[in-house]
Amino acid sequence: MSEPRAKASPFLNTLDGFAQPTPPLWMMRQAGRYLPEYREVRAKAGDFLTLCYNPEMAAEVTLQPIRRFGFDAAIIFSDILVVPHALGVDVRFEAGEGPRLETITTRDRIDNLRQLLDPAKVQPVYEAITRVAGELPDETALIGFCGAPWTVATYMVAGRGTDDQGPARMMALKDPDLFDALMDRLVEASIRHLGAQIDAGADAVQIFDTWAGVLDPEMFERWCIRPLRQIVNGLRQTHRNARIIAFPRGATLEALEQIADLKLNGIGIDWTVDRKAAKARLGDKVAIQGNLDPLRLIAGGPQLEEQILNIRRDFEGIPHIMNLGHGIKPETPIAHVEKLVEKAREKL
């Protein structure tokens, strides 16, 4: 692989294929409700989308966990549903119930989506990235992101999250051409959104496929692998050196191998993946990110310390990024996050 780039960042060097003496560390949803300083800013914002679209506030909550814990990477505070919102879909967040969207299930409604992302929705995200990039320590990387087309489409079809994302699966089975049309729009929008985040100052981008695990192998190939390939190829046409991480939650090792063949820089794995098998089958292809169970972080105690060290030992000698197997939960004690930082960075 190429030599490490100018920015002296353990996180970026890991994505470039270089194993580090201690793994770089960040956490999905690290800017969030487990932090009292986040809750203060969230209360001032009034609602979630207002916080997402206020560059000053979004930058502040992005920086909060860096100031408190010194993570090796920040991830911009935003949401995967910014993309459908910027395509003209009505999106709102209701307290205690999560996102609600107008449903997109007909050819007319797909054809009427915006051709370009609404600047009023996406420019605040890019401005927040530029603000954060200007304030981060030189060694701390900044991650931009989007949702994978499959995961975003599941919310657009159902109008909300469901247990198994059945409405989108049924639409894809009954009318695959119609579903393809929706996915094509999301692929194009994702390429634009990720590229603009890199232009604004993001050092790497992550594609979250939270609902990848509900698909059978044939559907996984069509609705997860193919769109991801299109995004990677499209983004690298305009940003040749883009560092790209995929996080297909719930994917099997066989599926993860397929994703690794797309020439990504990193793959995030959840806590159900066998680490030694992942190292053997993926370790010479991509950096592996994860796979600490968020519930272990809540439980704390000796089991947490033991698991952190087990993860480090199992991935020793390959590019590995310490992270959770999904987002940190609001009830996580701050002291347990401090213990994670300590154990992730001590000498083995």
Side-chain angles (χ1 to χ4, degrees):
M1 296 188 180
S2 60
E3 290 301 312
R5 304 183 196 179
K7 192 169 185 178
S9 162
F11 174 80
L12 298 181
N13 288 343
T14 302
L15 288 181
D16 286 341
F18 296 87
Q20 304 298 297
T22 57
L25 165 67
W26 71 282
M27 296 191 307
M28 288 179 280
R29 293 183 184 158
Q30 65 188 23
R33 291 174 291 169
Y34 73 106
L35 291 176
E37 55 265 43
Y38 167 85
R39 294 194 294 269
E40 289 179 11
V41 177
R42 173 70 173 77
K44 291 178 184 177
D47 65 81
F48 179 75
L49 280 178
T50 297
L51 179 53
C52 287
Y53 293 144
N54 183 306
E56 183 177 358
M57 288 184 171
E60 168 60 22
V61 296
T62 300
L63 290 164
Q64 285 172 348
I66 306 303
R67 298 189 194 114
R68 184 185 275 269
F69 303 112
F71 293 134
D72 294 292
I75 185 165
I76 194 64
F77 184 84
S78 186
D79 195 83
I80 65 171
L81 298 183
V82 164
V83 165
H85 203 202
L87 289 174
V89 178
D90 180 53
V91 177
R92 64 192 186 280
F93 286 79
E94 298 184 3
E97 296 187 10
R100 295 291 183 269
L101 296 77
E102 67 173 297
T103 56
I104 308 297
T105 57
T106 66
R107 175 71 64 171
D108 285 348
R109 193 62 192 91
I110 294 172
D111 290 343
N112 286 332
L113 293 173
R114 292 178 59 99
Q115 293 299 314
L116 298 176
L117 295 168
D118 183 356
K121 304 295 190 303
V122 292
Q123 285 298 334
V125 177
Y126 310 148
E127 182 180 338
I129 288 173
T130 300
R131 284 172 177 257
V132 173
E135 294 190 39
L136 283 176
D138 288 343
E139 68 274 12
T140 307
L142 176 57
I143 306 167
F145 72 91
C146 73
W150 162 251
T151 285
V152 175
T154 64
Y155 289 97
M156 295 174 72
V157 171
R160 59 187 297 170
T162 65
D163 289 341
D164 61 357
Q165 304 302 63
R169 290 162 60 201
M170 188 62 70
M171 178 177 169
L173 291 168
K174 285 187 171 182
D175 197 341
D177 291 339
L178 179 63
F179 199 74
D180 253 335
L182 176 58
M183 294 290 276
D184 287 345
R185 299 300 298 276
L186 289 173
V187 165
E188 180 182 352
S190 299
I191 293 169
R192 292 178 182 274
H193 190 43
L194 293 175
Q197 290 179 74
I198 294 171
D199 291 340
D203 299 300
V205 291
Q206 178 157 309
I207 302 167
F208 287 87
D209 213 350
T210 308
W211 289 102
V214 302
L215 295 174
D216 64 35
E218 291 79 13
M219 293 183 77
F220 189 93
E221 166 63 32
R222 181 162 185 176
W223 306 121
C224 292
I225 297 289
R226 187 173 68 175
L228 182 58
R229 180 184 297 112
Q230 292 172 324
I231 291 172
V232 171
N233 292 342
L235 184 58
R236 291 228 163 100
Q237 286 182 12
T238 56
H239 299 78
R240 184 168 58 90
N241 295 318
R243 297 179 180 95
I244 307 170
I245 308 167
F247 176 51
R249 184 187 178 197
T252 64
L253 267 174
E254 289 74 16
L256 292 171
E257 282 189 293
Q258 289 182 277
I259 291 172
D261 289 338
L262 301 181
K263 309 302 182 185
L264 299 159
N265 300 85
I267 292 179
I269 61 174
D270 63 39
W271 61 91
T272 66
V273 175
D274 182 277
R275 291 189 294 273
K276 292 180 180 178
K279 180 179 181 178
R281 296 168 72 167
L282 306 174
D284 61 346
K285 297 179 179 181
V286 293
I288 298 176
Q289 179 175 276
N291 68 333
L292 182 65
D293 186 342
L295 290 185
R296 287 187 179 271
L297 191 59
I298 294 173
Q303 65 79 29
L304 173 62
E305 298 182 26
E306 180 181 5
Q307 186 73 348
I308 294 166
L309 295 178
N310 286 341
I311 291 170
R312 290 185 58 191
R313 292 188 187 104
D314 287 343
F315 288 131
E316 193 171 14
I318 66 166
H320 170 237
I321 298 163
M322 180 67 73
N323 205 320
L324 303 178
H326 196 44
I328 184 171
K329 294 181 176 293
E331 61 268 33
T332 305
I334 288 174
H336 296 182
V337 179
E338 293 170 342
K339 182 58 69 174
L340 168 61
V341 174
E342 174 192 333
K343 289 296 176 182
R345 290 178 173 164
E346 71 177 24
K347 286 188 176 182
L348 288 179

